[in-house]
Amino acid sequence: MPWTEAVRSRGPAATHRVMPWTTADLPDLTGQVFVITGANSGLGLEATRRLAEKGATVVMACRSAQRAEAVAAPLREAAPAARLEVMTLDLSSLDGVARFAEALASRFPRVDVLMNNAGVMALPYRKTADGFELQFGTNHLGHFALTARVLPLLEASGRARVVSVSSMAHRMGAIRFDDLHWERAYAKWPAYGQSKLANLLFTYELERWLRRHGKATIAVAAHPGYSATNLQAVGPQMESSAVGAFFMRLSNALLAQPAERGVLPQLYAAVHPGVKGGQYIGPDGFMEMSGFPRVVDSNPASKDEGVAARLWEASAALTGVAFTP
């Protein structure tokens, strides 16, 4: 049963309730195929867990198949009806993205939801295998190329969704078309903000592209507020900064919500029947730091259609991957 029918079958209360939406509201997802990037930890792992519990087939698209298998085993035991498939995906490599998409198409005739979840945050300056600044290359360009290559499988679903995970940090971002890869003066947090702003610009432009070409697939964005995951620890580890690691742990302990709560917006974006293309889902709490999912707003820069179109063209040129109707 398609997830839209599964939710509808629960009656009006399923879509019009005033109670906060939680994982208890997830419908039966048996037969639905979800691809989740970065599914071996943090929000990706939590999303995998919750969807698997509802019978979904989840493709855990991860850079390390070994780490993914290590966490997949207990999930399979907890949800024996679920189907978890571990597949290798390195978003920092365009060749790796192409290999993954080809392997995915050989194993699945369709994909119902592509969850562009994986990301890196505030890292010391690094470049991808293709010469892109690592945060922009992984968080945006890798997912841009992946979405284009997986689009035929999404179209085969009949009513698929692309859910891209952005961040409150998009508000500190600006698209530096004259230096997208920060080769002149690198600053890790503004570079992260650029990549998260790019996620939103891409989502909104993708939604416009899908509507222009009469596609049934929709593009939606989500953000987790401030959620405690290992995302915050990687930067200090790469910099060998004990002070940075301490403050990240302290901040997580004092301010962050757990991953079980942080994952709700992207799950809501992926399955709720009331979600529309081009919407942005985030927490309903103070400053969107925590809470339950609702439709939220993004900053004016994310809605600039001229910038979005220019970023789309630049992304297609950099990746060599085009969206074709």
Side-chain angles (χ1 to χ4, degrees):
M1 179 185 296
W3 61 262
T4 48
E5 295 178 14
V7 175
R8 193 179 297 117
S9 69
R10 297 171 62 191
T15 56
H16 300 291
R17 64 177 58 193
V18 295
M19 294 292 289
W21 191 92
T22 71
T23 52
D25 296 293
L26 284 167
D28 177 18
L29 297 168
T30 301
Q32 298 297 293
V33 179
F34 292 73
V35 174
I36 304 178
T37 65
N40 63 295
S41 66
L43 300 174
L45 177 58
E46 192 61 30
T48 298
R49 184 194 323 278
R50 297 304 181 179
L51 295 170
E53 289 172 350
K54 293 297 181 177
T57 295
V58 182
V59 177
M60 302 175 69
C62 305
R63 187 173 63 175
S64 169
Q66 184 177 8
R67 288 198 296 268
E69 286 289 359
V71 297
L75 294 184
R76 292 187 182 104
E77 292 180 7
R83 180 183 175 190
L84 298 181
E85 298 283 343
V86 171
M87 296 184 65
T88 301
L89 169 63
D90 183 357
L91 287 165
S92 67
S93 163
L94 293 176
D95 285 344
V97 171
R99 286 194 297 271
F100 169 83
E102 183 177 355
L104 183 69
S106 71
R107 296 169 68 172
F108 295 92
R110 74 172 203 282
V111 170
D112 297 290
V113 177
L114 170 61
M115 190 176 289
N116 291 328
N117 162 84
V120 292
M121 183 181 77
L123 304 182
Y125 190 72
R126 299 286 190 280
K127 286 190 174 183
T128 70
D130 303 287
F132 310 142
E133 187 274 316
L134 185 58
Q135 296 186 89
F136 187 69
T138 301
N139 298 353
H140 169 60
L141 292 175
H143 282 126
F144 178 93
L146 175 67
T147 304
R149 292 188 180 279
V150 175
L151 190 60
L153 296 180
L154 293 165
E155 292 179 18
S157 167
R159 182 61 178 170
R161 297 186 184 189
V162 178
V163 178
S164 296
V165 180
S166 184
S167 165
M168 294 184 295
H170 84 271
R171 299 181 182 278
M172 72 170 77
I175 306 300
R176 295 161 45 111
F177 287 108
D178 62 336
D179 189 19
L180 285 171
H181 305 297
W182 297 82
E183 293 175 325
R184 291 200 297 269
Y186 179 68
K188 62 184 181 181
W189 282 108
Y192 178 65
Q194 174 181 254
S195 73
K196 293 289 102 179
L197 176 60
N199 291 153
L200 281 171
L201 288 163
F202 170 55
T203 295
Y204 298 153
E205 186 67 9
L206 176 60
E207 175 62 21
R208 287 187 287 268
W209 186 93
L210 291 165
R211 300 290 70 76
R212 283 197 305 270
H213 294 288
K215 304 299 184 182
T217 300
I218 64 172
V220 189
H223 83 85
Y226 185 5
S227 299
T229 69
N230 63 355
L231 183 69
Q232 293 92 344
V234 176
Q237 288 173 358
M238 290 179 67
E239 295 171 328
S240 299
S241 173
V243 173
F246 169 77
F247 279 108
M248 281 297 184
R249 288 195 301 270
L250 182 63
S251 180
N252 279 359
L254 295 177
L255 301 174
Q257 63 179 343
E260 305 90 81
R261 179 73 62 85
V263 77
L264 292 178
Q266 62 202 73
L267 289 175
Y268 183 98
V271 306
H272 195 283
V275 169
K276 297 178 175 61
Q279 287 185 327
Y280 186 33
I281 312 299
D284 64 357
F286 177 67
M287 295 182 64
E288 300 175 19
M289 295 274 285
S290 63
F292 296 95
R294 68 176 177 89
V295 177
V296 296
D297 200 10
S298 58
N299 71 351
S302 69
K303 302 172 187 175
D304 189 319
E305 294 188 20
V307 171
R310 188 178 176 189
L311 176 64
W312 182 285
E313 292 175 1
S315 301
L318 288 166
T319 62
V321 177
F323 284 76
T324 55

